[in-house]
Amino acid sequence: MLVVAALAAGCSGAPWNDPYPSAEEGANIFYTSFSERPKHLDPVQSYSENEYVLIANIYQPPLQYHYFKRPYELIPFAATEMPRAQLFDAKGRRLPDSADAKLVAYSDYLIRIRPGILYQPHPALARDADGRFAYHDLKPGALSGIHAIGDFKRTGTRELVAADYVHQLKRLAHPRLHSPIMQLMGDYIVGLKELAAELAGAEKAIPKDGFLDLTRFDLAGAEVVDRYTYRIRVRGKYPQFVYWLAMPFFAPIPPESDRFYAQPGMAERNISLDWFPVGTGPYMLTVNNPNRQMVLERNPNFSGEVYPAEGEPGDAEAGLFKDAGRPLPFIDKVVFALEKEQIPYWNKFLQGYYDASGIASDTFDQAVQFTGQGDVTLSEEMQKRGIRLQTSVATSVFYLGFNMLDPVVGGYGERARKLRHAISIAIDQEEMISIFR
């Protein structure tokens, strides 16, 4: 039987050691990997690149970046248009956009979102025949046999509204969530620090596992104007704030999800927003097994985004706009398999297990070669395999430091200071970048 199966696989052209089910053959699936477990999938806490690979496809902040334009350009995502800061002085008088920062007491950002955006199907939004939430008042024992979100039989959805964005802003101040940007945003968003203090006091008045209902509290710097419009007020003139609106920290969270996940027994089963997100983005997380596999599947309720039709010179000639105007996303499912080591990952990529791979130092010479002009191209071996090289420019910050306790370069004496100065001058940063970066 084993020999026949192997021969049959060989005749069909499929690899005999294909790790994927035969039912997935020919399906619109992208296979890739991850190397470490995401710590947070709750957008109020997440601040790591490996987490953003997932949640940037699940949540929908007001703004996003254009796929092709360089330098990077902000464009609307859930918003209908780019918000512009309205500047005011200490007496509430409107100032021109060119006003000196010293005169600006606060800035208002009015954000309008598109009507008709729907959340992914989720049990937190499911309702029964009478219109009541199906899973918001679970009795003891109701979670028997429930180990993941998919074990709940009912799901529901509703329209995204401006209040959901305001709710997420309040969550920045939640005493149990410890958002990494709370301190910074507290200096800018009006009333955020005061809300944090108020919530900390309210938390002491409820049981340890009690639900802190944020809908009962107001945030002075975040106001719902109407169903699809909200206003954020920040102190002073802070033009960088608009870039924060493209990050998951400012993506919407429905209050129903907080109430749903706060019920007794959920945390013990690892059923939380940090583990099972709920968003309006193009994908939803259907499998979260960080010891083996994580799966994103198309959100059936997502619409309104199309493939871009403009970019940089040469993009059209490279065929990048052949899909212009087509609805996004193109891929139905993204399967992330755990691969902790680069070499096994690279070898599996070459065998066709994965659809994409980065290039590590151990495989650099095998994958790429340099032309006489110093340009990087694929090696002939990779080209014969039909592999394509895609490069991109990424922003990064790195530094070299001195150990101030070291007997040679450390200390605060004149000799040590001049030695550090000399070493700093001697290091050729441009050469280091060209070779190692």
Side-chain angles (χ1 to χ4, degrees):
M1 288 292 291
L2 291 176
V3 174
V4 172
L7 289 174
C11 294
S12 69
W16 66 270
N17 61 341
D18 191 338
Y20 305 114
S22 58
E24 294 183 356
E25 185 175 350
N28 189 11
I29 301 174
F30 183 80
Y31 296 102
T32 184
S33 76
F34 66 102
S35 59
E36 59 179 317
R37 167 193 164 182
K39 293 181 180 179
H40 298 292
L41 297 179
D42 183 340
V44 84
Q45 299 183 84
S46 176
Y47 209 6
S48 298
E49 182 179 358
N50 67 312
E51 298 163 357
Y52 275 31
V53 170
L54 296 165
I55 67 174
N57 289 294
I58 297 172
Y59 296 109
Q60 194 171 13
L63 307 180
Q64 63 180 332
Y65 287 93
H66 195 284
Y67 288 105
F68 294 122
K69 291 188 176 180
R70 300 295 183 272
Y72 297 109
E73 181 179 317
L74 282 173
I75 59 174
F77 194 6
T80 59
E81 59 189 357
M82 288 294 298
R84 295 182 59 184
Q86 299 176 346
L87 310 180
F88 297 88
D89 65 14
K91 295 183 178 180
R93 294 174 297 196
R94 180 75 182 271
L95 298 173
D97 294 345
S98 58
D100 190 297
K102 296 179 181 179
L103 302 176
V104 180
Y106 59 88
S107 306
D108 279 358
Y109 290 85
L110 194 67
I111 303 167
R112 297 178 177 89
I113 61 172
R114 287 187 283 113
I117 297 175
L118 298 176
Y119 281 100
Q120 68 182 67
H122 196 278
L125 302 174
R127 293 179 182 269
D128 60 21
D130 296 324
R132 295 177 299 220
F133 287 107
Y135 300 116
H136 281 207
D137 189 22
L138 297 176
K139 302 297 187 289
L143 292 178
S144 177
I146 301 293
H147 305 286
I149 283 295
D151 294 331
F152 289 95
K153 295 181 180 180
R154 295 183 181 182
T155 61
T157 186
R158 70 162 172 83
E159 188 182 32
L160 172 68
V161 294
D164 298 332
Y165 286 92
V166 172
H167 181 74
Q168 169 67 352
L169 288 169
K170 294 179 187 178
R171 297 179 80 247
L172 294 174
H174 199 298
R176 297 176 184 171
L177 295 179
H178 308 294
S179 176
I181 69 165
M182 169 56 207
Q183 186 168 356
L184 174 63
M185 287 297 107
D187 291 335
Y188 286 105
I189 298 178
V190 173
L192 191 61
K193 283 187 176 180
E194 291 77 4
L195 176 62
E198 186 179 5
L199 293 177
E203 184 195 26
K204 296 177 181 178
I206 62 175
K208 185 177 181 180
D209 57 349
F211 175 56
L212 185 57
D213 186 0
L214 297 185
T215 62
R216 298 190 296 107
F217 299 86
D218 294 323
L219 173 57
E223 175 192 4
V224 176
V225 178
D226 58 42
R227 183 173 178 83
Y228 304 113
T229 310
Y230 67 105
R231 179 185 292 108
I232 303 177
R233 174 166 292 183
V234 299
R235 294 185 179 89
K237 191 175 184 179
Y238 183 39
Q240 298 95 323
F241 183 75
V242 70
Y243 294 94
W244 283 103
L245 296 178
M247 298 189 72
F249 292 113
F250 292 84
I253 293 294
E256 297 95 324
S257 65
D258 281 346
R259 183 175 295 277
F260 170 78
Y261 283 124
Q263 295 179 94
M266 291 287 196
E268 290 79 359
R269 289 168 169 78
N270 222 15
I271 301 178
S272 68
L273 191 66
D274 221 15
W275 200 262
F276 294 106
V278 49
T280 60
Y283 290 95
M284 53 188 187
L285 187 68
T286 55
V287 176
N288 187 353
N289 181 0
N291 294 320
R292 179 178 174 270
Q293 188 182 80
M294 304 185 77
V295 177
L296 291 177
E297 294 190 50
R298 179 195 293 267
N299 173 8
N301 296 332
F302 181 78
S303 64
E305 284 287 301
V306 297
Y307 191 90
E310 56 181 350
E312 295 296 291
D315 286 349
E317 291 76 6
L320 295 180
F321 299 143
K322 62 182 180 180
D323 293 311
R326 283 183 57 195
L328 295 173
F330 294 161
I331 298 171
D332 294 331
K333 181 189 291 188
V334 184
V335 178
F336 297 84
L338 179 63
E339 288 288 351
K340 294 184 177 181
E341 302 294 336
Q342 178 63 31
I343 295 300
Y345 176 36
W346 174 254
N347 289 333
K348 289 181 181 179
F349 165 70
L350 295 180
Q351 295 176 56
Y353 284 30
Y354 300 123
D355 294 316
S357 172
I359 302 174
S361 56
D362 294 324
T363 57
F364 193 81
D365 293 335
Q366 180 185 5
V368 301
Q369 59 190 10
F370 288 94
T371 66
Q373 291 74 35
D375 296 328
V376 179
T377 62
L378 273 177
S379 65
E380 292 183 6
E381 179 186 355
M382 297 297 106
Q383 294 181 36
K384 290 178 181 179
R385 290 173 175 265
I387 294 172
R388 292 178 297 146
L389 177 66
Q390 294 184 340
T391 61
S392 62
V393 177
T395 56
S396 63
V397 176
F398 65 93
Y399 63 91
L400 301 175
F402 292 101
N403 180 359
M404 297 301 286
L405 299 180
D406 185 87
V408 178
V409 300
Y412 297 92
E414 184 71 4
R415 176 190 170 280
R417 187 184 66 81
K418 289 186 175 181
L419 176 59
R420 292 193 296 270
H421 194 186
I423 293 174
S424 299
I425 294 173
I427 294 176
D428 190 334
Q429 295 285 3
E430 293 296 328
E431 189 74 4
M432 180 178 291
I433 291 172
S434 66
I435 294 175
F436 297 107
R437 297 288 166 179

